[in-house]
Amino acid sequence: LVLERGGCWTCPSLGSVTDVNNDVSVSVPPGVDLVGNLWSTSKNPNSTSTTTKRRGSQTNKLQWTSLEGLMQDPDTAKGDRMAQLRELGMDRAAGVPFSVDGHSGMVVYLSREKPSSNKTVSVLDHEHHDTYLHRAGTLLGHTVALTKAKKRLIETSIHVKHAVEHSWEDRHCDCGCLTAVTKKLMIVARKARGGGMAIPPPMTTQQALWTWLGTFLTLLVLSGINHALVTTTDHSLLIGPFGALMTLQYGLTAAPASQPRNAVLGQIVSGAIALVFTYLPIPQWLQQALGPAFSVTAMCRLGIPHPPAGAHAVLYAAGNDKWQLYGIVVMCTVVSCLMATVINNFSEKRQYPTYWGPLIDRLAQNIRKFMGW
């Protein structure tokens, strides 16, 4: 047995490790101390295999060695480890050697019970007990082989990675900026391949019909309001972004952007910011970019992103309608949220909204308390 370079012998029972020189390998001579003695007296690992050939075949007998006998044997080279094990009450030890893909070793079992105990004799000397310990030793042997194979694999991977990095650095040593940009582009390309997420399932036919009903009824009301505005005033509703709102409220009911809090507050914040930029002495084409950019940023920063509000911000910056249209849009957004609340909740498969927000929740709590509900 050879203790690998940089390693140490560990005894779980003692809770300590032996001191070794990390720069050299430590040999365990056969016949020296407990481990060396068990290794010398153990059988060939191939002969101690616990694979059952036929029913009724016998597993090789596990040879238990008395620690007291080893201590008193004048021909056995003793060490501190054997004496410490005796002080802990260990009486017997047995070794199960293994050999797996060129990796040889031995699993050492220790027993606290004395050999004179009838219970110990009946358990440790039983055939099934020997079979279990032999197979456990074989399993540990495979674990050791797997651990060493994994260690070599990791070392090889690190070596290949370093070789590739050094090769890349040698090719681009004159332009460090090019290397950084290339790595960044590789990351972008990897992300562009997608995250591997599963495609969301489509709606059922029943839920699709419910979406159609909600969209039709809500747009029917909004179209009526728009028709009244066009025929009685010089304003129009700019109903286009409300089509996106229908998709959110009836197609993505549980999405945060679909909730009334996001819809109403998003329209209020986004529209106000976009309209402020129309008073600046800048070209309209710049207003259409600058105003909505600040509007969308503000909604995201406040936690109330709402896509239709961003669309309305662009229309505010491009049109001649000012605060009158802004108020009408906010009012129609409230109407659509109320209709979505009623229509969606008639379906057993839907819940709208999933939240109102702390202000509405506190108001509802006060109303319930006042009404005694």
Side-chain angles (χ1 to χ4, degrees):
L1 295 177
V2 176
L3 180 62
E4 293 186 356
R5 181 177 180 178
C8 60
W9 290 105
T10 304
C11 181
S13 299
L14 298 177
S16 61
V17 296
T18 57
D19 296 329
V20 297
N21 187 350
N22 290 333
D23 296 330
V24 297
S25 299
V26 179
S27 298
V28 182
V32 176
D33 208 7
L34 175 61
V35 177
N37 185 273
L38 292 177
W39 180 259
S40 298
T41 58
S42 64
K43 298 182 180 180
N44 190 304
N46 296 328
S47 65
T48 59
S49 173
T50 59
T51 302
T52 304
K53 297 181 180 179
R54 295 289 183 184
R55 182 178 178 180
S57 62
Q58 296 183 353
T59 306
N60 290 315
K61 187 69 175 177
L62 194 63
Q63 300 297 327
W64 289 92
T65 302
S66 173
L67 296 183
E68 184 66 26
L70 290 178
M71 292 287 294
Q72 296 177 359
D73 187 358
D75 297 329
T76 300
K78 306 169 185 62
D80 295 336
R81 183 181 181 84
M82 191 181 302
Q84 291 172 332
L85 290 174
R86 286 290 298 129
E87 293 177 0
L88 290 173
M90 301 298 176
D91 292 281
R92 292 196 289 175
V96 176
F98 61 83
S99 179
V100 181
D101 294 335
H103 301 283
S104 299
M106 184 174 61
V107 178
V108 177
Y109 298 103
L110 299 171
S111 171
R112 288 181 180 272
E113 292 82 4
K114 296 181 180 180
S116 59
S117 172
N118 294 330
K119 180 179 179 181
T120 304
V121 173
S122 63
V123 174
L124 296 184
D125 295 337
H126 198 278
E127 177 184 352
H128 297 302
H129 188 270
D130 289 347
T131 301
Y132 174 80
L133 295 182
H134 275 294
R135 291 181 178 176
T138 303
L139 177 61
L140 292 174
H142 282 82
T143 303
V144 171
L146 180 61
T147 302
K148 293 184 177 181
K150 181 180 179 180
K151 180 180 179 181
R152 289 196 299 268
L153 177 61
I154 294 175
E155 293 175 350
T156 303
S157 301
I158 295 175
H159 176 73
V160 171
K161 180 180 179 181
H162 289 171
V164 172
E165 290 179 351
H166 292 329
S167 175
W168 188 261
E169 291 175 359
D170 293 341
R171 292 173 59 186
H172 301 281
C173 58
D174 297 333
C175 186
C177 180
L178 179 61
T179 302
V181 172
T182 304
K183 290 182 177 180
K184 190 65 177 180
L185 290 176
M186 292 176 63
I187 294 175
V188 172
R190 184 177 69 251
K191 289 183 177 180
R193 291 198 298 266
M197 299 294 291
I199 299 175
M203 276 188 177
T204 62
T205 302
Q206 181 182 2
Q207 290 303 309
L209 292 176
W210 206 268
T211 299
W212 177 90
L213 178 63
T215 302
F216 172 73
L217 293 178
T218 306
L219 286 180
L220 185 63
V221 173
L222 296 180
S223 297
I225 296 175
N226 183 55
H227 179 71
L229 289 174
V230 172
T231 55
T232 58
T233 65
D234 296 333
H235 304 289
S236 63
L237 184 55
L238 299 177
I239 200 171
F242 282 98
L245 179 58
M246 298 302 101
T247 304
L248 290 172
Q249 290 181 328
Y250 297 104
L252 299 170
T253 309
S258 307
Q259 306 309 307
R261 177 177 181 272
N262 290 55
V264 177
L265 295 182
Q267 288 286 4
I268 293 174
V269 172
S270 176
I273 294 175
L275 286 172
V276 168
F277 276 89
T278 61
Y279 293 96
L280 299 179
I282 57 177
Q284 189 180 60
W285 60 267
L286 184 57
Q287 291 179 2
Q288 288 181 292
L290 196 59
F294 277 94
S295 297
V296 173
T297 302
M299 287 191 295
C300 294
R301 181 64 182 86
L302 295 174
I304 50 174
H306 187 60
H312 275 117
V314 177
L315 296 177
Y316 293 146
N320 297 322
D321 295 307
K322 298 297 183 179
W323 297 98
Q324 296 88 348
L325 176 63
Y326 167 72
I328 294 172
V329 168
V330 172
M331 180 196 69
C332 291
T333 301
V334 173
V335 171
S336 65
C337 289
L338 293 176
M339 294 189 64
T341 300
V342 175
I343 296 173
N344 278 318
N345 289 328
F346 267 104
S347 172
E348 295 180 355
K349 302 294 184 179
R350 299 188 181 208
Q351 166 70 50
Y352 185 84
T354 56
Y355 59 86
W356 284 102
L359 182 61
I360 303 299
D361 290 342
R362 189 177 300 111
L363 179 61
Q365 183 179 1
N366 292 334
I367 293 175
R368 288 194 298 268
K369 185 183 298 183
F370 176 78
M371 299 299 293
W373 293 349

